[in-house]
Amino acid sequence: MVLAELGGSITRALQQMNNAIVVDEKVLGECLNEIARALLHADVRFDLVRHLQTNVKNLVNLNHLAAGHNKRKIIQNAIFDELCKLLDPGKPTFTPELGKPSVVMFVGLQGAGKTTTCTKYAHYHRKMGWKTALVCADTFRAGAFDQLKLNATKAKIPFYGSYVDSDPVKVAVEGVKRFKKENCDLIIVDTSGRHKQEAALFEEMRQVSEATKPDLIIFVMDSSIGQSAFDQAEAFKQSVSVGAVIVTKMDGHAKGGGALSAVAATKSPVIFLGTGEHMNEFEPFDVKSFLNRLLGKGDLSGLINTIQRNVPMDQQQQPELLQKLSKGNFTLRMMYELIQNLLEMGPLNQVCTLSRLTLYVS
Ligand SMILES: Nc1nc2c(ncn2[C@@H]2O[C@H](COP(=O)(O)OP(=O)(O)OP(=O)(O)O)[C@@H](O)[C@H]2O)c(=O)[nH]1
């Protein structure tokens, strides 16, 4: 079941409950069972689903509700809050600050999207005026340094790596040292992919972490990996102190359950989502915005944030543009700039999801 289907199933269950003539324990039970089935189908762990059902029943407590209360609204709010709790461990994560050099280390399974995400993360901050840098501590996979170099060059971000040195700890330490000297705000260390059965590689990751002393370790997770996400995420958390999660490939056949499990296993919040292979297909994660979109309610604050991030609002450009337009001057250059701004906001269908529009493009 892809994420859109999960959202559809939950919405249908809520609608059925809404349409019931009388909302009683039986109707609530059926609604919760329907939602539980959808979550289990999306690979969410059984204990988390069970927990959600019990919590909603306890919160709503239909038998003790005084007459006049809007039971439907109370149930909907309780379900929404419990879904939020599934995705939010309630623990703040380290947030890098401009002007305070921070080291952020990326870890995860092979092919999860670490290298791509490192560059997206660096590019995201660079667009906001940060001085960012990338360090390739993946000396295991042939071609890893070339991939990072290519991405970094495209995004105009300084990078460090080595073709000859095979010791990831040494490369990471040297890279971090160099960029600290250059007063970078954000130094991002990419590491090789590993699996929990690979004890030696886990030990190596621990050593890189110990040597570079990152302010934040981000666990990168492919959204389609399903049930095994919990065990893998837990293994990473036990080896190094994972502080945040980035879920990638949300544009693919994401079931979503794996992401929820990773949050539960690492007790760390999801901070960004990867929504495509391109540099701009990357968005900050906000639980409420995400759930609103999942349930087809649109996300106005997400849309405003996207526009603010990508369209230069406060520069002199906007009034100037309006003035020129009011005089009937519209040049090809202006049209080019407008289209560039629009493209920076990401794929049109994503922008439409935020604004609750459906885009029918084939
Ligand atoms: N569709 C889609 N593809 C992605 C996304 N993020 C990464 N990829 C693709 O996933 C593949 C693997 O990405 P990498 O960044 O090389 O993954 P990695 O974790 O660094 O790989 P290893 O170093 O081998 O562990 C590449 O083809 C990326 O283009 C995403 O958000 N959406």
Side-chain angles (χ1 to χ4, degrees), residues 27-242:
V27 170
L28 173 63
E30 278 168 5
C31 173
L32 287 175
N33 285 344
E34 204 53 50
I35 291 174
R37 253 195 296 278
L39 289 170
L40 290 172
H41 202 54
D43 277 344
V44 182
R45 276 163 59 96
F46 180 75
D47 53 339
L48 298 178
V49 175
R50 192 79 221 205
H51 200 63
L52 178 137
Q53 278 183 301
T54 320
N55 280 1
V56 172
K57 277 186 187 153
N58 290 343
L59 272 172
V60 172
N61 202 353
L62 284 179
N63 294 334
H64 292 91
L65 270 186
H69 274 105
N70 186 342
K71 290 180 185 169
R72 291 172 178 81
K73 192 93 198 138
I74 291 172
I75 294 174
Q76 275 182 16
N77 288 346
I79 291 174
F80 190 84
D81 288 348
E82 285 306 309
L83 286 171
C84 280
K85 274 195 212 159
L86 270 185
L87 276 163
D88 184 1
K91 194 182 93 181
T93 182
F94 170 84
T95 317
E97 280 175 45
L98 187 63
K100 273 192 189 170
S102 309
V103 178
V104 177
M105 176 173 157
F106 279 63
V107 299
L109 294 171
Q110 282 97 346
K114 289 177 299 302
T115 308
T116 313
T117 309
C118 278
T119 326
K120 286 177 173 179
Y121 187 71
H123 177 65
Y124 175 87
H125 287 91
R126 201 183 84 88
K127 278 202 301 186
M128 298 191 305
W130 294 45
K131 195 171 168 191
T132 58
L134 289 161
V135 178
C136 177
D138 181 356
T139 53
F140 185 74
R141 176 165 66 88
F145 181 38
D146 279 329
Q147 188 192 353
L148 184 110
K149 204 166 140 182
L150 189 76
N151 289 350
T153 313
K154 242 194 252 170
K156 299 190 187 83
I157 295 160
F159 57 89
Y160 180 86
S162 170
Y163 286 113
V164 284
D165 214 323
S166 59
D167 179 0
V169 180
K170 197 167 153 222
V171 178
V173 169
E174 276 168 15
V176 169
K177 203 164 120 194
R178 171 189 293 194
F179 292 125
K180 271 192 177 163
K181 237 189 227 163
E182 293 178 12
N183 289 326
C184 285
D185 300 306
L186 192 57
I187 304 163
I188 298 156
V189 181
D190 185 19
T191 61
S192 32
R194 59 204 90 218
H195 200 265
K196 76 179 177 111
Q197 273 80 26
E198 295 166 321
L201 285 179
F202 262 68
E203 174 54 23
E204 175 204 282
M205 171 176 73
R206 210 187 47 72
Q207 286 175 11
V208 173
S209 159
E210 224 162 66
T212 53
K213 300 202 171 23
D215 299 285
L216 175 66
I217 299 181
I218 300 179
F219 176 64
V220 178
M221 203 201 72
D222 178 339
S223 57
S224 56
I225 74 166
Q227 288 280 357
S228 63
F230 188 88
D231 293 343
Q232 290 295 343
E234 200 172 40
F236 276 89
K237 176 79 181 178
Q238 278 163 5
S239 260
V240 290
S241 77
V242 171

Side-chain angles (χ1 to χ4, degrees), residues 23 39 43 66 77 112 159 172 179 186 270 272 299 313 348 359 361:
V23 176
L39 289 170
D43 277 344
N77 288 346
F159 57 89
F179 292 125
L186 192 57
V270 177
F272 282 94
D299 172 23
M313 286 292 190
L348 275 184
L359 187 71
V361 271

Side-chain angles (χ1 to χ4, degrees), residues 286-311:
D286 175 74
V287 179
K288 285 197 173 136
S289 298
F290 177 77
L291 279 177
N292 274 329
R293 275 153 69 187
L294 186 72
L295 303 179
K297 292 181 181 177
D299 172 23
L300 206 55
S301 72
L303 180 64
I304 291 169
N305 285 340
T306 309
I307 295 173
Q308 276 173 345
R309 262 200 326 273
N310 296 296
V311 183

